[in-house]
Amino acid sequence: MTAKAAGHDDEPGIAAGEAAAGTRPVAGARRAALGDPLVELLFRLGDDRLILGHRLSELTGHGPILEEDIATANMALDLIGQAASMLKLAGELEGKGRDEDALAYFRDAVQFRNCLLVEQPNGDFAQTMARQFLFDAYSVLLLDELSRASHAGIAAVAAKSLKEAKYHLRHSSEWVLRLGDGTDESHARMQRAIGALWRFTGELFVADEVEAAAAAKGAAVDLSGVQARWDTMVDDVLARATLRRPTDTAMQRGGRSGRHTEHLGHLLATMQIVARSHPGATW
Amino acid sequence: MEPTPNAPADETALNAAFEAKIAAGDSIEPKDWMPERYRKQLTRMMSQHAHSEIVGMLPEGNWITRAPSLRRKMSLIAKVQDEAGHGLYIYCGTETLGVDRFDLYNQLLDGSAKYSSIFNYPTLSWADMGVIGWLVDGAAIVNQTVLAKTSYGPYARAMVRICKEENFHKRQGYEICATLAAGTPAQREMLQDAVNRFWWPALMMFGPSDKDSPNSAELLRWRVKRKTNDELRQRFVNLTVPQAQAIGITLPDPDLRYNEATKNWDFGEIDWAEFFEVIKGNGPCNKERLAARNKAHDDGRWVREAATAYAEKQAKKRQTEAA
Ligand SMILES: [Fe+2]
Ligand SMILES: [Fe+2]
């Protein structure tokens, strides 16, 4: 995966990840770049969890209370464990001999398929928990659908992850409640965090050709149904937390096609530095 | 346990009963009477231990984001999480001695409490994650295996439970070292460098030499300590030398040699000046470690306040609903 994007650099409308795969610009390229949709779907699932788990792992030892350090580490462990299973399966289906470590450590940012939400920095504890809550609600609903997929491998990894995701959702929604309905300061911080992250939530529900093709291969997800349930779930928690649902509807997207925010490159630079400094080494 | 006016006579009897228990090898439990000095010594030891677990999260936490494989990343997160659990568990244990763990924690934050000197050394490469598991958790196990037989029941039981996890950490750390030792030249070099940096500080973990350890005699008599610092240090060296040999790593001590007469590995003089400087707060990372703990504590203040406020609101709500 070292093909240079050179020559495509100034083409608008082409994600570098697709360029690296050796395709031509714009809409046609998108379709041509689409390999096995199940692999693509597993990249999305795995990368979401790898990047969010990594973000949480940055906090180990720096939490507001010891009990929360333990809980945060737990969630990081669950998410990275889920990512490892999903990327392993992606690598097997892809058939290019890449295991979960090769996928985690030797892809560039443009080849990552996580949503923009999970790569956002930890910020203060309100931002960390708001990000977690917005993702967990989506994750539970999505995994619930996938746990019933006819593709056995995907159904199994989704079912196992779902149990953990439900626990995470309980934890993060409790913090949204505590902070939203705690003190004036915590309320203001949580409201600000929800507001700052809101623009990254639209992307979660944008169905594209990957969903359609994955459905045909035994991993159907009804993203508009997920969105409707997500809206209800999020509205309920926000209301109980005395928080306003942001009204701005301008949404950012791009993660699913490798166009990330500037944050991801820095995250990967840290995450991949040792592995890439010693190519071929065993750890 | 405030002494009453006629306490002296009572206290003599109580003290005799306490000493008899110690002599019989029985464990002292929280409800038992104990001399104030025993209580103080245990509070000191247990809180220093708890602080060490908590500060000890930082040097290893430093490499979580750079762990070179997903498996290593997860096991490192799990290890640091275990240390948080140990800290919490021992802090709770100190409360059986009638102290408030938040007071103890404040002593850590304001720099007046001590913790293990080893955590004031920086972690400079991935190999440090192997070497800390192998040597630092290894040294902790030698200490804690003996503490599992300490006379204070709650501390002894905590050590039994914690030791199991420390053993796991040690095995995991040694496995990282063995993998690096069998790896590329750069990996072997990284490992040797980490051992060079951590060997002497690991030996210092057992505390000052017996001749400079003022509390030792009393602690041994009360069976709080079961072995002297030097005895434990020697045991650790004897255990570790063959492990280093097995993976082809050189321990950085030209005086290290086997003594046929004593069946011990003799080792060189520890740089005690360095040890006391680190204890005084002048180690390479003392300031950074305390600053990190204080930052987490200060940044978390509004979160803790919010949690308290929310809990109060909920309690009030339940009250009015019940009324
Ligand atoms: Fe520990
Ligand atoms: Fe440990």
Side-chain angles (χ1 to χ4, degrees):
Chain A
M1 300 298 282
T2 52
K4 290 285 178 294
H8 297 299
D9 276 357
D10 48 3
E11 302 269 18
I14 177 167
E18 293 156 3
T23 55
R24 283 165 301 103
V26 206
R30 204 150 273 196
R31 200 162 305 274
L34 180 60
D36 183 341
L38 295 184
V39 173
E40 194 66 18
L41 178 73
L42 284 162
F43 281 167
R44 294 177 181 189
L45 290 166
D47 290 347
D48 276 356
R49 285 155 187 81
L50 175 61
I51 300 303
L52 184 57
H54 181 94
R55 276 288 186 231
L56 291 175
S57 81
E58 293 172 354
L59 295 168
T60 317
H62 304 281
I65 43 171
L66 211 40
E67 287 84 345
E68 193 53 35
D69 261 338
I70 296 174
T72 305
N74 245 335
M75 293 196 292
L77 274 174
D78 287 346
L79 288 164
I80 296 170
Q82 294 168 13
S85 311
M86 289 162 175
L87 292 176
K88 182 171 185 290
L89 185 55
E92 286 164 8
L93 294 177
E94 185 191 50
K96 291 185 192 162
R98 297 198 288 181
D99 64 8
E100 61 273 31
D101 283 331
L103 290 169
Y105 289 94
F106 291 91
R107 277 181 303 157
D108 293 336
V110 291
Q111 292 153 344
F112 271 75
R113 292 293 179 263
N114 58 280
C115 60
L116 304 178
L117 176 66
V118 294
E119 69 199 36
Q120 299 311 304
N122 290 322
D124 64 6
F125 187 70
Q127 181 157 324
T128 303
M129 276 304 143
R131 184 187 63 199
Q132 193 65 36
F133 167 65
L134 296 171
F135 178 79
D136 289 341
Y138 158 74
S139 178
V140 163
L141 296 166
L142 185 71
L143 293 171
D144 183 53
E145 297 236 331
L146 286 172
S147 67
R148 293 186 300 262
S150 59
H151 187 282
I154 290 177
V157 71
K160 185 178 171 292
S161 306
L162 176 60
K163 275 189 211 149
E164 295 168 346
K166 282 181 177 167
Y167 170 79
H168 300 177
L169 175 61
R170 199 169 70 206
H171 187 77
S172 58
S173 47
E174 275 169 7
W175 273 113
V176 172
L177 291 173
R178 273 188 211 111
L179 299 182
D181 194 19
T183 62
D184 289 347
E185 179 178 8
S186 71
H187 176 88
R189 282 178 185 261
M190 186 45 95
Q191 188 67 64
R192 198 184 317 143
I194 296 280
L197 294 171
W198 197 252
R199 69 184 188 280
F200 301 114
T201 58
E203 178 184 44
L204 304 175
F205 311 106
V206 177
D208 61 13
E209 66 272 30
V210 171
E211 270 77 20
K217 294 190 78 175
V221 176
D222 168 20
L223 278 179
S224 63
V226 167
Q227 181 167 27
R229 273 168 280 145
W230 184 88
D231 278 332
T232 310
M233 199 182 252
V234 168
D235 285 349
D236 170 60
V237 172
L238 291 182
R240 284 193 288 137
T242 72
L243 293 162
R244 275 179 300 101
R245 179 186 166 112
T247 46
D248 87 66
T249 49
M251 291 291 169
Q252 299 294 324
R253 55 183 283 207
R256 301 302 188 204
S257 56
R259 294 165 168 223
H260 293 276
T261 60
E262 290 175 344
H263 301 296
L264 184 65
H266 295 281
L267 183 154
L268 293 179
T270 304
M271 186 174 98
Q272 298 176 335
I273 178 70
V274 177
R276 289 205 181 194
S277 301
H278 303 266
T282 308
W283 301 99
Chain B
M1 286 289 159
E2 281 298 303
T4 48
N6 58 353
D10 288 358
E11 201 158 299
T12 313
L14 290 166
N15 200 43
F18 171 82
E19 292 286 350
K21 260 193 183 161
I22 293 281
D26 292 348
S27 72
I28 306 298
E29 293 300 325
K31 60 179 185 344
D32 296 338
W33 184 91
M34 61 190 85
E36 219 30 56
R37 194 157 158 75
Y38 179 89
R39 187 186 301 276
K40 270 219 180 79
Q41 289 284 17
L42 270 159
T43 306
R44 182 184 61 84
M45 281 177 68
M46 289 175 74
S47 58
Q48 282 180 12
H49 189 163
H51 299 330
S52 302
E53 300 282 358
I54 299 308
V55 178
M57 296 168 73
L58 298 170
E60 290 183 280
N62 184 37
W63 280 88
I64 287 176
T65 55
R66 290 173 288 176
S69 76
L70 295 180
R71 182 170 77 95
R72 292 297 184 202
K73 194 184 192 75
M74 286 190 274
S75 56
L76 187 57
I77 295 172
K79 178 180 194 268
V80 176
Q81 184 191 35
D82 283 348
E83 309 302 3
H86 297 169
L88 194 57
Y89 194 50
I90 303 170
Y91 276 130
C92 292
T94 58
E95 300 202 316
T96 65
L97 290 161
V99 289
D100 185 333
R101 70 174 158 119
F102 296 102
D103 291 343
L104 296 176
Y105 195 65
N106 281 326
Q107 291 166 11
L108 171 67
L109 294 176
D110 70 21
S112 61
K114 291 199 175 86
Y115 55 86
S116 184
S117 55
I118 192 81
F119 301 121
N120 291 314
Y121 290 85
T123 50
L124 303 178
S125 79
W126 169 252
D128 293 19
M129 299 305 101
V131 170
I132 287 180
W134 173 33
L135 298 181
V136 176
D137 288 79
I141 290 165
V142 169
N143 259 326
Q144 292 171 16
T145 308
V146 181
L147 279 173
K149 289 174 227 138
T150 192
S151 57
Y152 188 55
Y155 195 24
R157 289 189 289 276
M159 285 306 100
V160 172
R161 185 171 138 178
I162 288 174
C163 250
K164 277 189 204 141
E165 290 182 355
E166 304 294 13
N167 265 306
F168 185 70
H169 298 165
K170 189 209 156 170
R171 272 209 305 280
Q172 203 168 265
Y174 187 65
E175 202 239 313
I176 292 177
C177 293
T179 306
L180 294 174
T184 64
Q187 284 177 304
R188 275 199 298 282
E189 196 178 310
M190 187 194 287
L191 174 63
Q192 184 63 60
D193 175 63
V195 171
N196 293 350
R197 284 182 284 111
F198 276 99
W199 174 249
W200 289 106
L203 294 190
M204 295 178 198
M205 284 176 68
F206 296 93
S209 165
D210 294 346
K211 57 183 193 306
D212 299 315
S213 187
N215 296 321
S216 258
E218 184 183 50
L219 293 175
L220 284 164
R221 189 171 63 77
W222 276 337
R223 291 190 301 105
V224 172
K225 280 172 92 162
R226 307 301 307 265
K227 299 269 182 211
T228 71
N229 294 351
D230 287 336
E231 284 170 335
L232 293 171
R233 191 166 10 245
Q234 184 66 60
R235 180 184 290 187
F236 173 70
V237 173
N238 290 350
L239 283 169
T240 308
V241 172
Q243 292 164 358
Q245 289 171 336
I247 55 172
I249 278 297
T250 309
L251 296 173
D253 179 358
D255 296 325
L256 193 68
R257 58 180 56 88
Y258 192 67
N259 184 327
E260 279 297 343
T262 61
K263 307 280 183 224
N264 283 326
W265 281 90
D266 292 340
F267 53 95
E269 186 61 26
I270 289 171
D271 182 352
W272 292 114
E274 175 180 320
F275 173 74
F276 287 110
E277 274 304 298
V278 177
I279 292 287
K280 260 198 300 190
N282 299 324
C285 293
N286 296 57
K287 305 260 183 313
E288 287 80 358
R289 300 297 182 238
L290 273 195
R293 288 318 318 165
N294 273 289
K295 183 178 189 305
H297 190 74
D298 295 344
D299 289 352
R301 181 164 293 117
W302 68 269
V303 178
R304 296 189 298 274
E305 286 169 0
T308 310
Y310 179 76
E312 280 166 6
K313 280 186 199 175
Q314 292 303 106
K316 213 173 267 171
K317 224 179 254 174
R318 276 194 299 274
Q319 258 175 16
T320 47
E321 274 164 19

